Amino acid sequence: MAVTDEAIEKIKGMIVSGALAPGDRLPKESELAAELGLSRNSLREAVRALSLIRILDVRQGDGTYVTSLDPQLLLEALSFVVDFHRDDTVLEFFAVRRILEPAATAMAALRIEEDQLDALSAQLDALGPEPSVEALVAGDLEFHRGIVQSSGNSVLCSLLDGLSGPTTRARVWRGLTQEDAVNRTLREHRAILAALRDRDAEAARSWATVHVASVEQWLRSTL
């Protein structure tokens, strides 16, 4: 493992230094192994590891390339890691969401376009007054994803997208067991949307905080 780690660090060093730029093709395996003073096996393991976290792209029959290194691409690895969360850490994911999502919503209030606001409104209308819990949770994910995308920060969007998975089951559970959870969620969505239409960043931040915190507080009381 130590030899593979060394190989990873050397390839990383080439990328960080600019010797390999986004989109560049790596030299042939034998040439790169000799250049870096590595065995071909350790180089191969390093390439495999870096491809898993989207640093490198191995194309069969064509070679190995540095990816675009776009933040959204790199942060896809977060979703993979998050999938291994334990049930007793779900509150920690909510705590992180409560920090990041209100900030993203406040940013969106100053940037979101009218057609995006109309699309969010149409999403809420399509759910109707009494959606199923499953439809509401799916709509909730799309609603918040649309808002965060409007913040203009792709890193923040990717982080929150990755964090949404562990909290989905808790939201379904709440919808099935807590009285008025569905109506409350719909009211909070409408309040967030109204704040966005008013371009009121602080109101949008406050309603987003209330929205995330309400599920978090319910979950704390049930665990």
Side-chain angles (χ1 to χ4, degrees):
M1 182 61 69
V3 177
T4 301
D5 289 345
E6 179 188 1
I8 290 172
E9 285 300 314
K10 287 186 175 182
I11 297 173
K12 174 185 170 184
M14 293 181 72
I15 295 171
V16 171
S17 69
L20 286 173
D24 280 357
R25 180 177 176 176
L26 271 63
K28 291 181 180 179
E29 185 181 272
S30 57
E31 296 174 4
L32 185 58
E35 180 183 343
L36 297 179
L38 300 167
S39 71
R40 293 177 69 169
N41 280 340
S42 62
L43 177 61
R44 202 170 292 133
E45 289 300 319
V47 167
R48 186 177 293 116
L50 290 170
S51 66
L52 284 173
I53 57 173
R54 304 302 182 93
I55 301 294
L56 298 178
D57 178 20
V58 179
R59 304 175 188 174
Q60 293 298 326
D62 187 19
T64 300
Y65 292 78
V66 180
T67 67
S68 65
L69 302 181
D70 182 88
Q72 288 183 290
L73 178 67
L74 299 181
L75 284 168
E76 283 182 10
L78 174 66
S79 297
F80 179 80
V81 174
V82 162
D83 284 341
F84 289 95
H85 81 284
R86 305 185 311 273
D87 284 349
D88 60 355
T89 64
V90 70
L91 282 170
E92 296 179 9
F93 285 103
F94 268 111
V96 176
R97 251 192 92 201
R98 182 158 43 86
I99 294 168
L100 298 180
E101 196 158 300
T105 305
M107 291 166 64
L110 305 177
R111 302 174 60 98
I112 194 165
E113 302 288 341
E114 286 297 324
D115 61 335
Q116 293 171 311
L117 288 168
D118 291 341
L120 291 173
S121 182
Q123 283 180 27
L124 295 182
D125 291 342
L127 285 173
E130 296 181 1
S132 67
V133 172
E134 292 77 9
L136 179 66
V137 171
D140 183 78
L141 291 171
E142 287 303 310
F143 181 77
H144 292 291
R145 183 178 290 117
I147 292 172
V148 175
Q149 286 174 343
S150 299
S151 72
N153 189 311
S154 61
V155 174
L156 192 54
C157 188
S158 295
L159 281 171
L160 283 166
D161 222 26
L163 291 170
S164 65
T167 63
T168 298
R169 186 166 60 177
R171 281 177 277 178
V172 171
W173 185 17
R174 180 204 184 201
L176 291 171
T177 60
Q178 187 183 38
E179 186 178 354
D180 201 40
V182 171
N183 289 332
R184 181 173 178 176
T185 298
L186 292 172
R187 289 195 300 270
E188 289 168 356
H189 280 181
R190 292 289 182 188
I192 292 169
L193 182 57
L196 292 173
R197 282 201 183 277
D198 290 341
R199 308 295 173 178
D200 189 335
E202 288 312 307
R205 185 196 306 274
S206 297
W207 275 112
T209 302
V210 167
H211 184 56
V212 177
S214 64
V215 186
E216 183 185 354
Q217 289 169 353
W218 168 81
L219 186 59
R220 284 185 189 280
S221 71
T222 61
L223 292 178

